[in-house]
Amino acid sequence: MKIGLYPGSFDPFTVGHLDVLWHASSLFDRVYVSILRNSAKQPVFTEEERVDLIRKVISDAGIDRVEVLTFDGLTVKHAKALGAGYLIRGLRAITDFEYEFSMDALNRHLAPEIQTVYFMAKPEHSFLSSSKVREIGSLGGSIHGLVPECIEKMITERLAQQ
Ligand code: PNS
């Protein structure tokens, strides 16, 4: 059974993340979307809120064989505990490459048996990041089209309180 782990901050989950998940779910027998807990970053959405938002998106999009979790510690350790042989990441632009390249090298050092697979973002998502969504939303701009429609209202309201 091919199991993939899609780790990240997802603060918040965007249409770019959804696109990656959509493609990954068609290639793997099971995909775990897992949110890093206790990251050094000060998140806007709590871990519980992010789990709920992503579950709603998955159910709304009708994506099968996907489970949403949280984790702390090393991603590869979490992958091993889940029986996942693959890490899933999205690549938007050349700027992502350096970060992903070093993360891949370190993860390979820690767990050579785990492979990372990358999904290229759609050109229209190449500019999109959770941090830009947070910035636009907290400054009162429209995030329509940047986050999945079923969670847009919740995200908009929450960011407006920032
Ligand atoms: O969505 P993000 O914030 O780019 O995700 C980054 C994430 C969570 C994948 C990365 O920070 C991570 O794997 N953190 C866990 C700690 C770890 O395993 N470090 C070693 C690899 S560099």
Side-chain angles (χ1 to χ4, degrees), residues 6-11 17 34-36 39 41 71-77 87-89 92 99-100 102-104 106-107 110 130:
Y6 184 16
S9 309
F10 307 115
D11 187 38
H17 294 132
S34 207
I35 300 162
L36 178 65
S39 115
K41 300 173 195 168
F71 77 104
D72 49 28
L74 290 173
T75 296
V76 289
K77 213 169 152 189
L87 301 181
I88 297 160
R89 297 286 291 169
R92 288 162 303 187
Y99 173 59
E100 295 297 335
S102 67
M103 202 152 63
D104 179 64
L106 292 167
N107 282 333
L110 294 167
S130 295

XYZ file of all heavy atoms in Angstrom, residues 6-11 17 34-36 39 41 71-77 87-89 92 99-100 102-104 106-107 110 130, ligand 1:
282
model
N 1.572 14.451 3.671
C 1.677 15.831 3.197
C 1.781 16.726 4.441
O 0.773 17.073 5.055
C 0.417 16.149 2.375
C 0.372 17.506 1.709
C 1.503 18.297 1.534
C -0.837 18.003 1.216
C 1.438 19.534 0.903
C -0.910 19.239 0.581
C 0.234 19.991 0.434
O 0.160 21.222 -0.185
N 3.022 17.070 4.834
C 3.192 17.853 6.057
C 3.246 19.348 5.751
O 3.616 19.755 4.650
C 4.562 17.385 6.553
C 5.329 17.131 5.287
C 4.334 16.715 4.233
N 2.873 20.156 6.712
C 2.962 21.594 6.489
C 2.357 22.381 7.623
O 1.881 21.820 8.613
N 2.361 23.698 7.441
C 1.770 24.596 8.444
C 0.298 24.862 8.109
O -0.530 24.983 9.004
C 2.515 25.934 8.471
O 3.890 25.714 8.584
N 0.007 24.998 6.832
C -1.374 25.182 6.343
C -2.112 26.276 7.125
O -3.231 26.068 7.602
C -2.154 23.859 6.398
C -1.477 22.720 5.703
C -1.033 21.604 6.411
C -1.265 22.753 4.326
C -0.401 20.549 5.766
C -0.629 21.697 3.676
C -0.208 20.603 4.404
N -1.483 27.442 7.260
C -2.047 28.510 8.096
C -2.376 29.753 7.259
O -1.654 30.748 7.355
C -1.040 28.855 9.204
C -1.598 29.826 10.222
O -2.792 29.712 10.551
O -0.847 30.709 10.679
N -2.673 24.359 -1.963
C -2.580 23.119 -1.172
C -3.607 22.098 -1.666
O -3.326 20.911 -1.779
C -2.852 23.412 0.313
C -1.822 24.270 0.983
N -2.147 25.362 1.754
C -0.470 24.195 0.989
C -1.044 25.916 2.221
N -0.009 25.231 1.768
N -0.806 16.463 7.437
C -0.478 16.603 8.855
C 0.104 17.977 9.147
O 1.023 18.452 8.483
C 0.483 15.480 9.265
O 0.330 15.210 10.624
N -0.484 18.598 10.170
C -0.142 19.977 10.532
C 0.918 19.967 11.629
O 0.735 19.307 12.660
C -1.412 20.696 11.041
C -2.478 20.722 9.950
C -1.095 22.086 11.557
C -3.880 21.018 10.471
N 1.989 20.700 11.393
C 3.060 20.768 12.395
C 2.585 21.553 13.615
O 2.158 22.702 13.490
C 4.304 21.433 11.789
C 5.487 21.604 12.740
C 6.051 20.255 13.177
C 6.574 22.442 12.096
N 5.050 24.944 16.072
C 6.096 25.502 15.214
C 6.512 26.848 15.818
O 5.783 27.460 16.576
C 5.565 25.668 13.801
O 5.514 26.997 13.427
N 6.669 29.526 14.448
C 5.824 30.613 13.936
C 4.615 30.792 14.849
O 4.122 29.840 15.425
C 5.314 30.253 12.542
C 6.396 30.034 11.515
C 5.756 29.527 10.222
C 6.761 28.935 9.276
N 6.139 28.210 8.180
N 1.085 16.867 14.134
C 2.282 16.184 14.631
C 3.263 17.191 15.201
O 3.174 18.379 14.926
C 2.958 15.359 13.513
C 3.763 16.161 12.515
C 5.161 16.174 12.561
C 3.140 16.913 11.520
C 5.908 16.891 11.630
C 3.880 17.647 10.588
C 5.262 17.628 10.645
N 4.172 16.680 16.024
C 5.334 17.497 16.372
C 6.581 16.640 16.240
O 6.495 15.438 16.048
C 5.202 18.170 17.751
C 4.787 17.204 18.819
O 5.098 16.010 18.677
O 4.143 17.633 19.786
N 7.728 17.278 16.290
C 8.979 16.536 16.100
C 9.311 16.403 14.633
O 8.820 17.172 13.792
N 10.119 15.410 14.346
C 10.619 15.238 12.982
C 9.544 14.670 12.052
O 8.847 13.712 12.400
C 11.814 14.290 12.974
C 13.105 14.810 13.601
C 14.138 13.691 13.676
C 13.659 15.987 12.795
N 9.471 15.245 10.867
C 8.504 14.778 9.873
C 8.761 13.319 9.497
O 7.827 12.529 9.376
C 8.567 15.681 8.619
O 8.174 16.982 9.009
C 7.664 15.199 7.524
N 10.033 12.959 9.310
C 10.317 11.579 8.878
C 9.948 10.566 9.962
O 9.527 9.439 9.652
C 11.797 11.389 8.424
C 12.058 12.095 7.106
C 12.775 11.808 9.489
N 10.087 10.977 11.221
C 9.709 10.080 12.327
C 8.195 9.855 12.295
O 7.708 8.732 12.463
C 10.123 10.738 13.650
C 10.536 9.776 14.707
C 11.167 10.507 15.866
C 10.952 9.699 17.135
N 11.351 10.441 18.330
N 6.928 11.541 1.261
C 6.510 12.869 1.708
C 6.027 13.610 0.470
O 6.581 13.429 -0.623
C 7.672 13.638 2.355
C 8.336 12.996 3.574
C 9.457 13.894 4.105
C 7.306 12.745 4.671
N 5.010 14.406 0.646
C 4.407 15.146 -0.471
C 4.625 16.633 -0.236
O 4.340 17.142 0.854
C 2.891 14.842 -0.529
C 2.660 13.358 -0.822
C 2.187 15.732 -1.545
C 1.282 12.871 -0.420
N 5.134 17.317 -1.278
C 5.327 18.768 -1.157
C 4.936 19.425 -2.477
O 5.014 18.799 -3.545
C 6.793 19.102 -0.838
C 7.295 18.566 0.480
C 6.763 19.312 1.678
N 7.302 20.662 1.772
C 6.825 21.584 2.606
N 5.790 21.320 3.407
N 7.363 22.790 2.641
N 6.208 25.900 -6.076
C 5.584 26.990 -6.833
C 6.569 27.642 -7.788
O 6.337 27.756 -8.974
C 5.042 28.065 -5.883
C 3.821 27.641 -5.114
C 3.595 28.527 -3.929
N 4.784 28.506 -3.081
C 4.854 29.067 -1.894
N 3.846 29.747 -1.405
N 5.963 28.996 -1.184
N 14.778 25.956 -0.504
C 14.240 25.498 0.782
C 13.916 24.003 0.718
O 14.310 23.219 1.591
C 12.989 26.334 1.080
C 12.179 25.928 2.286
C 12.745 25.914 3.556
C 10.825 25.601 2.161
C 11.981 25.560 4.666
C 10.063 25.247 3.257
C 10.647 25.220 4.512
O 9.883 24.878 5.596
N 13.237 23.600 -0.344
C 12.833 22.200 -0.490
C 14.048 21.296 -0.696
O 14.081 20.176 -0.208
C 11.848 22.043 -1.659
C 10.520 22.741 -1.459
C 9.700 22.204 -0.283
O 9.877 21.027 0.098
O 8.894 22.973 0.261
N 17.099 21.741 0.494
C 17.815 21.491 1.745
C 16.992 20.596 2.667
O 17.535 19.727 3.351
C 18.207 22.796 2.433
O 17.051 23.462 2.856
N 15.674 20.790 2.655
C 14.840 19.945 3.497
C 14.919 18.487 3.026
O 15.010 17.564 3.821
C 13.396 20.445 3.456
C 12.593 20.009 4.644
S 11.276 21.156 5.029
C 10.275 21.066 3.591
N 14.914 18.306 1.713
C 15.001 16.956 1.149
C 16.324 16.300 1.529
O 16.358 15.134 1.935
C 14.858 17.015 -0.377
C 14.977 15.630 -0.999
O 14.100 14.800 -0.703
O 15.945 15.368 -1.723
N 18.212 16.890 4.122
C 18.235 16.559 5.546
C 17.308 15.377 5.853
O 17.670 14.491 6.623
C 17.850 17.786 6.378
C 18.909 18.894 6.322
C 18.364 20.191 6.883
C 20.174 18.474 7.060
N 16.159 15.375 5.224
C 15.237 14.258 5.443
C 15.824 12.946 4.921
O 15.692 11.901 5.542
C 13.882 14.531 4.787
C 13.043 15.490 5.612
O 13.190 15.570 6.841
N 12.167 16.230 4.965
N 18.296 11.681 7.357
C 17.646 11.086 8.526
C 16.956 9.759 8.198
O 16.930 8.856 9.031
C 16.596 12.060 9.098
C 17.138 13.371 9.689
C 15.989 14.354 9.899
C 17.858 13.095 10.999
N 0.289 30.961 1.988
C -0.550 31.198 3.171
C -0.241 32.567 3.769
O -1.146 33.267 4.233
C -0.282 30.123 4.226
O -0.681 28.876 3.745
O 4.264 24.457 5.069
P 5.662 24.611 5.594
O 5.674 25.551 6.760
O 6.643 24.960 4.527
O 6.067 23.152 6.175
C 7.342 22.935 6.698
C 7.461 21.557 7.381
C 6.408 21.378 8.451
C 7.302 20.465 6.346
C 8.885 21.501 7.978
O 9.100 22.617 8.782
C 9.158 20.249 8.814
O 9.265 19.167 8.274
N 9.244 20.437 10.142
C 9.414 19.351 11.101
C 10.845 19.307 11.629
C 11.741 18.453 10.753
O 11.419 17.342 10.386
N 12.938 18.992 10.398
C 13.919 18.301 9.589
C 13.750 18.576 8.103
S 14.433 20.109 7.682
